[in-house]
Amino acid sequence: MDEGASQQNALTRRDMIRRTAAVLTGTIAATSALATLAPTRAWALELQTLSQHDGETILAFGQTLYPHATLPTAVYAMLVKDLDVAAKDPATASLLRDGTASLDSAAGGNFAAATPAARLAAAKAIEKTAYFAKVRSTCITSLYNNELAFAHFGYQGASWPKGGYIHRGFNDLTWLPNPPAAASPTVGVL
Amino acid sequence: MAAIAHNDDTAVVIIGSGAGGGTLANELCQKGIKVVLLEAGKRESSQTFIQDEWESFNQLAWLDKRTTSGNWRVATDFPNLPAWTCKTVGGTTTHWAGASLRLQEHEFKALTNYGKLEGANLADWPIGLAELAPYYAKAEHKMGVTRTNGNPGLPGNNNFKVLYNGATKLGYTKCSTGHMAINSKFRDHRSSCLQMGFCFQGCKSGAKWSTLYTEIPLAEETGHLDLRPQSHVVQIETNAAGKATAVVYVDAAGKTQRQKARIVAVAANSIETPRLLLNSASNQFPDGLANSSGQVGRNYMRHLTASVYAVFDEPVHMWRGTTMAGIIQDEAALKPSRGFVGGYEMETISLGLPFMAAFINPGAWGSDFTAALDGYTNMAGMWIVGEDMPRETNRVTLNTAVKDQFGQPVPNVHYDDHANDLAMRAHAFQQGGNVYRAVGAKSVIETPPYPSTHNLGTARMSNDPKLGVVNKHGQTHDVKNLFISDGSQFTTSAAENPTLTIVTLAIRQADYIASAMSKQTV
Ligand SMILES: Cc1cc2nc3c(=O)[nH]c(=O)nc-3n(C[C@H](O)[C@H](O)[C@H](O)COP(=O)(O)OP(=O)(O)OC[C@H]3O[C@@H](n4cnc5c(N)ncnc54)[C@H](O)[C@@H]3O)c2cc1C
Ligand code: SF4
């Protein structure tokens, strides 16, 4: 086989992988606080280890565990991304695969396609399992420790690069009266 | 900086560079005494601190394995993280918030004033406020505590405005931005507070006191300090005469080293301190070093803690500005009519979104949880810190079934809430909620204790060698040249955040050590 042929083979193989790889996709609503933050409103997550069905199930499971009406699916996709990385460990991969099966069976067939009420019941049914604990605890960091979530919930993150809040609203609350200077001296005394 | 030879047996060897150890080191160096300061963690700086909650936690917190038992909720929520302390030069004074309160007179006499309580090992301290007052004054001066030494109070942030208005509506009268070891103006070569809101992650402006950039560099300037970061002490050795002779530690390269010592002072925070004493058991001290009383590791206290968060119709942005921006002290008084002894302080607190998700109700899920976080920008918060009961059965022991990276048994932290703790927490939840309801809270969230930030009592102070581990100077009853220099000494916990008292005791201990050295009595 000459150079060219083997290169072509490699390309074909890579192409095949791409075509068969599981990919989750979605769009951030134009009205979302995040629409201006993300480079494009459309997002795609290519899975390395998990199947398409595992990915969709985990995404739906995250939405069931931590339901925020307007939190874009792109943030829940972070959960899938983190668990996809964790699934490089074979034991975790099988825990997640078995979890998909148990959620599907608890939801009467397909968890991701079930009604919100059926999903909630299925989640409750498996609450004591290691799979539940794994996904739930991963949610805490995957969903709430990223820039998109910060923007959505209004948290401003690091303030050092901007000089703190001394001139940026640390005491800008106006719906209650200001405490007297004896209790809370003004910034002027600095 | 001095280079003290491993076989030089004339220096004081201090273990741990936090509030207790860092202060003791500087005080001794200022008196011309040679000090080797062994610190398990690395040396960071304001430049390297990170304003990201989890990254900062991974950079500075003590993450070595620990185990838990007992009926406290922390054992369920954080089975391998009973405490939030730091492993770095400066210890937990890198992450601390800076609240600096003196203990109250009556709290030094807990047994006398509260009476005997079933299931509690109450005792009076062998010292009182009058004896400590001059040292408190020195500590407040050193740390630049606001509303002392002519230092103005800090300006209150939005979180404080909510607290203050709620407090006054309820009729509380002792509410202000409190006593903080945070510069309200340029002082001591350090800047004033920029209201950055990352006090728990290490202060990048240096406005908040930490031994990392106050005591330790001052000690280095004297030429008497040999600071060794990444030096994890595994054992204290003794001789036939029952004196401490050397300290064994593992250095950055993983090599075991032995540093000889004239005096050894342990300031490793109240979980590692008793662990080290227990791990230093020998034929001569079969139950652990300085443990003839059997009290090493017992009476572990962590303060009664809890938090109350509330969501309002209007924005608060509580994360802007100092984390502990103000305090209500009305409930800190002794009023047994409330159904419990001791008292509690209410102090503003704020967590960033990542920590809020982790701590607001650990393990919880579903729409109650998410509704609370949906109100994040409109949220105010307070932390409750109250006196918890010392109990002999609340204790740090060695878990021989689990070993750390050096093959040593890890500490197990056992804690059962006392009925008094439960009664106080219920009262505090009610009052904390009332503060916020008084100014229109839409919902109030009762948050359980975080991993313990205040760890106390595991080598308690007593005049009686049968009842306590150390005397009123922190000197162990059993080993005359062995001192305890951290919160482990506390006889009872009192309601106040402990660090000002730890620093005060360290300053006083330095005087005692210096005089004992010159009189050749140790
Ligand atoms: C988030 C947070 C907020 C806080 N806020 C306040 C507050 O507002 N007010 C207040 O009073 N207190 C506060 N505290 C508590 C305060 O930080 C501690 O009381 C104080 O730092 C304890 O001092 P220490 O010297 O006992 O221990 P530390 O400061 O923890 O220092 C102990 C040092 O010993 C080292 N060490 C341990 N074992 C070994 C070993 N085997 N070999 C070598 N070195 C070892 C550790 O690495 C550490 O650096 C807070 C704590 C936290 C976590
Ligand atoms: S709020 Fe003030 S004390 Fe806290 S980290 Fe910022 S500058 Fe430092």
Side-chain angles (χ1 to χ4, degrees), chain B residues 15-21 38-41 62 84-93 95-100 180 200 231-234 267-270 272 276 324 347 452-455 485-487 497-500 502:
Chain B
I15 302 158
S17 63
L38 299 173
E39 166 54 54
W62 184 280
W84 176 355
T85 61
C86 294
K87 183 201 274 192
T88 186
V89 174
T92 318
T93 65
H95 270 184
W96 83 313
S100 300
M180 303 298 296
F200 284 0
S231 300
H232 191 121
V233 177
V234 290
N269 207 324
S270 310
E272 294 308 314
L276 182 58
M324 275 182 185
E347 304 169 348
S452 313
T453 54
H454 300 171
N455 299 277
S485 316
D486 59 18
N497 315 54
T499 307
L500 179 72
I502 293 173

Side-chain angles (χ1 to χ4, degrees), chain A residues 159-160 163-165, chain B residues 51 94 96-98 154 157 180-183 191-209 213 319-324:
Chain A
S159 70
W160 168 249
Y165 292 103
Chain B
Q51 291 194 339
T94 55
W96 83 313
L154 285 158
N157 66 358
M180 303 298 296
I182 295 178
N183 278 353
S191 102
S192 67
C193 175
L194 297 175
Q195 301 285 342
M196 288 192 288
F198 282 87
C199 308
F200 284 0
Q201 282 69 40
C203 179
K204 285 187 81 66
S205 82
K208 183 189 78 178
W209 180 84
Y213 41 75
W319 61 86
R320 297 182 185 168
T322 45
T323 307
M324 275 182 185

Side-chain angles (χ1 to χ4, degrees), chain A residues 65-68 127 132 144-145 153-154 156 159-160 165-166 169-173 175 177-178 180 182-185 190, chain B residues 51 54 147 154-158 161 164-165 177 184 194-196 204 314-315 319-320 354 357 364-366 370 374 377:
Chain A
L65 289 174
Y66 293 100
H68 294 281
E127 197 175 352
F132 183 99
Y144 303 109
N145 192 25
F153 290 99
Q156 293 170 285
S159 70
W160 168 249
Y165 292 103
I166 187 121
F170 82 103
N171 63 355
D172 65 357
L173 185 154
W175 54 272
N178 282 329
S184 172
L190 287 181
Chain B
Q51 291 194 339
W54 284 118
R147 293 188 170 85
L154 285 158
N157 66 358
N158 294 335
K161 284 193 198 181
Y164 181 85
N165 280 283
T177 56
S184 51
L194 297 175
Q195 301 285 342
M196 288 192 288
K204 285 187 81 66
E314 305 277 344
W319 61 86
R320 297 182 185 168
W365 58 280
T370 51
D374 284 338
T377 48

Side-chain angles (χ1 to χ4, degrees), chain B residues 302-323:
Chain B
R302 43 117 33 227
H303 273 148
L304 169 111
T305 68
S307 309
V308 179
Y309 292 97
V311 178
F312 297 86
D313 285 323
E314 305 277 344
V316 179
H317 302 122
M318 67 173 171
W319 61 86
R320 297 182 185 168
T322 45
T323 307

